[in-house]
């Protein structure tokens, strides 16, 4: 009897990573939609490392840190999941090293889900001497010039070494200025790479038993390419689907026009993730069109350059009119920065180049984004997303 | 009866800054020594904004922030008091502005005591086109070249505008390479400036009712100059006495040699403050010689350059041997950085120039310094300072 229990416990540990009796058998990946409102939906993704409330915004933790804040502050802001960058992490500190140290979650002290991108975007935008073949992309590190190779297989392997909870397929990106023919070719190659990514993921053993993999729809702004991409990805089969290749300079109107047809091409019972988006108004507009997940450096990067997000639009804390202002960054905001400090103080810190300025501004912006997501989720639950979105956008954009 | 009570309450508010019944009448400044061990002492300074356990280490909050940490983290490390820099704050954000915003404590969210220096040291080391006369020092800001004047009167006024709890007299510093005659002249001028500082402090009304002022002994390494300086300061009368003009490049041996005679010249019933010191071994040696208060940028500055303090001596976290080390910065350290993160992670952050690296290293170093002060206080209470100091120094210096 005892031996049978021990075997069962070992089995349970090996498949769900937790001991019998401590946690019941855990879903690898499920997406439960609790309410819809027009095209928008709200729900919960359940994974072994925790739940992700959708629509979700993922703060970006490029180099194993959400810049200028610790993991406790990221969680306090309300984030359920963060994003890690495969390209940056494979170069420094190195995926094999992170694996030896117990994975990215333990390394950076964030025990909840992490989504990792595939490195495809950074390889094209940051690295040098890049050479793309059917096998993959060969490139030189922007840090020290040493040569690396990323292929669908290596990208998924790196993400597995990092211990990623949501793996992104490796895809090929082309500039928005590319010809239609180049865009079609990149989309088709991305499909072939999607299949190879999925196959490599499935060879992952214990990792594949607890993680998920998303495909990425490509096809620029072309409806037929988007449809072909979606069909092929669905044929391969993924846990979730991303809309890729947007927010790369095409402008909000073109992006939303694309979402108007692209989102519906993706399975409604799966999470739909708009990569690299965006400004608060982008996010509200995309949620209206059925997007469930977002990531963007904007709240953190803006925090370091002195731009605060508020319900009344962005605010440049460096502006001289804040030098004597005893009010918080945003009236009524419950974040640690607004709770304890004035605009005058944060203005001073940012002007003086003090690290604490970046810390406080980043915290405020992370709270702003997460509160906005919570408001969106609530508005969908309450079937009043249209009016919420209208009021939000009018107020947010009034100042500009 | 009611009117009498109201009058009494008004009186109490005006003299001790708190309402009758909410707080009992509060001491302006008292120093109670609870134990001595050789020349060393431990005790408590009581002020209206809180108690300061001595020997005390004051983290430096140059520009209204202890760099790379918030006030909550500074307090969590165990600090009872921090130091603010008059020179930096008068240039940016400006003392009048800080006063309008409710004082430095409210401005930076640190509601406990703050000691402000007089600006004399920074004026000589940072500013340009400096001109010293009997009236004071005229100089150009290192930020924008605009001209300012610091005199004993203006220095104390600035400190009052900042809402300083412990005001330092304005003094004149000369390079260590000065002739004995120049040193004697600077010491004598500092005495005249001490008297003017004290007089300006006493004209401060409500501020003088709740704050304290310290004199600064000068005289370089010369015993007779030190004695003359101490005698004159005692004649004027201060709440505490600082040993100034040390830790400016003379070396530890010379500094300790000077303390061997200089400390005893200062009243034993008053706090004795060694300005700008120092390394952990400097502090232990100075406590043995009867010093009660310290300040230094070392724990915070080192935190930003990758040097961690440990009981086994300083540790350069950038060293490649830490890249794979799963151990915390210092085994057994209860600080937030050591609690949650490995050397490998902090090494990665510091190498990558991530702000979180500076945040974690700074927190560790602040905790290390405050734990050392707590250990020193306990060792004095237990009458075992000699053996504690010997063991601490052997272990701390072994590696070097």
């Amino acid at each position: 009897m005892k031996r049978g229990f021990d075997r069962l416990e070992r089995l349970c540990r090996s498949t769900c990573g937790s001991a019998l009796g401590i946690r019941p058998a855990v879903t690898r990946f499920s997406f439960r939609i609790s309410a819809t409102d027009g095209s928008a939906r709200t729900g919960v993704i359940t994974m072994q490392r925790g739940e992700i409330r959708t629509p979700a915004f993922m703060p970006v933790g490029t180099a194993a840190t959400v810049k200028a804040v610790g993991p406790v502050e990221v969680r306090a802001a309300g984030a359920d999941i963060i994003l890690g960058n495969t390209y940056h992490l494979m170069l420094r500190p190195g995926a094999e090293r992170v694996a030896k140290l117990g994975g990215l979650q333990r390394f950076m002290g964030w025990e909840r889900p992490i989504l990792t991108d595939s490195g495809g975007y950074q390889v094209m935008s940051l690295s040098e001497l890049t050479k793309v073949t059917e096998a993959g992309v060969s490139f030189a590190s922007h840090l020290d010039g040493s040569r690396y190779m990323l292929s669908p297989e290596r990208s998924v392997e790196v993400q597995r070494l990092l211990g990623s909870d949501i793996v992104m397929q490796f895809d090929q990106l082309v500039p928005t200025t590319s010809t239609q023919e180049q865009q079609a070719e990149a989309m088709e190659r991305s499909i072939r790479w999607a299949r190879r990514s999925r196959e490599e993921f499935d060879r992952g053993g214990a990792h594949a038993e607890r993680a998920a993999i998303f495909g990425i729809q490509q096809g620029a702004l072309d409806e037929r390419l988007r449809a072909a991409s979606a069909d092929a990805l669905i044929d391969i089969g993924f846990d979730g689907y991303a809309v890729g290749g947007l927010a790369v300079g095409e402008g909000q109107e073109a992006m939303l026009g694309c979402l108007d047809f692209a989102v519906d091409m993706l399975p409604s019972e799966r999470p739909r993730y708009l990569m690299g988006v965006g400004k608060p108004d982008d996010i509200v507009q995309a949620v209206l069109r059925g997007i469930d997940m977002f990531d963007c450096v904007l709240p953190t990067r803006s925090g370091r350059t002195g731009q605060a997000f508020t319900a009344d639009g962005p605010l440049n804390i460096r502006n001289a009119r804040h030098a004597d202002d005893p009010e918080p960054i945003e009236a009524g905001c419950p974040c640690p920065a607004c709770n304890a400090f004035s605009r005058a103080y944060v203005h001073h810190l940012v002007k003086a180049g003090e690290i604490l300025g970046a810390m406080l501004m980043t915290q405020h912006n992370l709270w702003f984004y997460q509160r906005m997501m919570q408001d969106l989720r609530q508005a969908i639950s309450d079937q009043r997303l249209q009016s919420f979105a209208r009021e939000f956008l009018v107020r947010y954009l009034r100042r500009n």
Side-chain angles (χ1 to χ4, degrees), chain A:
Chain A
M1 180 66 194
K2 176 69 167 62
R3 257 166 65 178
F5 182 85
D6 284 353
R7 253 207 319 275
L8 193 60
E9 181 168 356
R10 263 200 311 280
L11 180 71
C12 185
R13 272 184 198 278
S14 71
T15 56
C16 71
S18 70
L20 195 72
I22 295 173
R23 255 201 292 188
V26 174
T27 320
R28 180 185 62 86
F29 185 88
S30 78
F31 180 40
R32 189 177 54 78
I33 295 172
S34 57
T36 61
D37 187 358
S39 297
R41 330 80 82 68
T42 182
V44 174
I45 296 169
T46 303
M47 300 195 72
Q48 290 188 18
R49 283 207 175 85
E51 295 193 333
I52 304 155
R53 295 162 290 175
T54 66
F57 180 81
M58 303 183 279
V60 176
T62 306
T65 161
V66 177
K67 288 185 193 295
V69 287
V72 172
E73 287 78 43
V74 175
R75 179 59 184 161
D80 294 331
I81 177 170
I82 62 173
L83 180 143
N85 284 120
T86 286
Y87 172 82
H88 288 95
L89 294 167
M90 70 183 282
L91 300 188
R92 185 171 61 189
E96 279 74 8
R97 171 169 288 143
V98 172
K100 262 198 332 198
L101 290 162
L104 188 54
Q105 291 82 358
R106 179 182 295 181
F107 186 59
M108 65 184 291
W110 172 266
E111 298 292 347
R112 291 175 175 274
I114 296 180
L115 179 149
T116 47
D117 64 11
S118 69
Y121 182 81
Q122 277 79 20
V123 155
M124 300 310 288
S125 57
L126 291 180
S127 71
E128 289 150 19
L129 305 169
T130 309
K131 192 161 172 265
V132 184
T133 64
E134 185 64 21
V137 183
S138 144
F139 63 94
S141 159
H142 74 289
L143 296 175
D144 62 5
S146 56
R147 289 209 71 84
Y148 288 83
M149 167 81 182
L150 263 183
S151 61
E153 291 76 18
R154 177 59 181 161
S155 170
V156 170
E157 184 188 17
V158 167
Q159 295 180 70
R160 184 191 302 137
L161 285 163
L162 295 173
S164 172
D165 296 284
I166 300 180
V167 169
M168 298 304 296
Q169 73 147 100
F170 191 66
D171 58 350
Q172 187 189 354
L173 289 117
V174 289
T176 45
T177 52
S178 308
T179 62
Q180 169 126 8
E181 194 185 334
Q182 289 169 321
Q183 288 168 350
E185 276 171 16
M187 183 277 283
E188 280 156 20
R189 173 170 281 160
S190 291
I191 293 299
R192 293 190 297 274
W193 285 1
R195 194 176 307 275
R196 286 166 54 188
S197 297
R198 169 89 243 187
E199 287 167 359
E200 177 60 30
F201 179 84
D202 289 337
R203 283 191 288 272
H207 179 254
E209 303 276 335
R210 64 154 193 81
I213 182 167
F214 281 20
I216 306 176
Q217 183 198 45
Q218 292 291 355
L221 302 175
D222 186 297
E223 187 165 356
R224 285 201 308 186
L225 291 183
R226 287 273 166 192
S229 176
D231 286 348
L233 291 173
I234 293 165
D235 187 53
I236 299 168
F238 287 94
D239 295 306
Y241 296 85
V243 180
L246 294 182
V248 288
E250 74 280 7
Q252 192 190 58
E253 199 179 340
M255 180 182 82
L256 296 178
C258 181
L259 289 181
D260 281 336
F261 56 74
V263 179
D264 270 350
M265 298 167 177
L266 303 172
S268 66
E269 75 278 10
R270 297 287 180 178
R272 300 185 292 209
Y273 162 30
L274 180 55
M275 302 181 80
V277 171
K279 298 196 300 293
D281 45 315
D282 293 332
I283 289 176
V284 170
Q285 294 282 14
V287 165
L288 281 166
R289 287 161 176 80
I291 294 290
D292 306 299
M293 298 169 70
F294 301 88
D295 82 278
C296 191
V297 296
L298 206 55
T300 41
R301 180 172 294 165
S302 298
R304 300 194 305 285
T305 59
Q307 180 177 251
F309 291 95
T310 82
D312 293 302
L315 175 152
N316 182 356
I317 199 72
R318 304 179 68 97
N319 194 304
R321 75 193 149 94
H322 303 307
D324 295 293
D325 192 342
E327 294 301 310
I329 297 170
E330 180 170 24
C333 172
C335 88
C338 291
N339 238 329
F341 305 103
S342 62
R343 286 181 180 181
Y345 182 57
V346 181
H347 168 88
H348 162 68
L349 293 177
V350 171
K351 291 276 283 186
E354 287 289 346
I355 288 175
L356 185 59
M359 292 162 59
L360 296 176
M361 288 286 287
T362 299
Q363 285 197 51
H364 171 78
N365 285 347
L366 288 175
W367 279 68
F368 178 84
Y369 266 68
Q370 295 298 337
R371 289 169 66 217
M372 174 178 73
M373 301 317 293
Q374 178 57 38
D375 289 347
L376 286 164
R377 292 191 293 261
Q378 192 63 50
I380 298 167
S381 282
D382 299 346
Q383 313 283 310
R384 54 175 175 78
L385 181 62
Q386 288 289 340
S387 64
F388 170 83
R390 195 175 327 111
E391 284 163 31
F392 180 96
L393 293 170
V394 164
R395 184 171 171 194
Y396 184 79
L397 299 170
R398 191 185 306 154
R399 209 187 257 172
N400 301 320

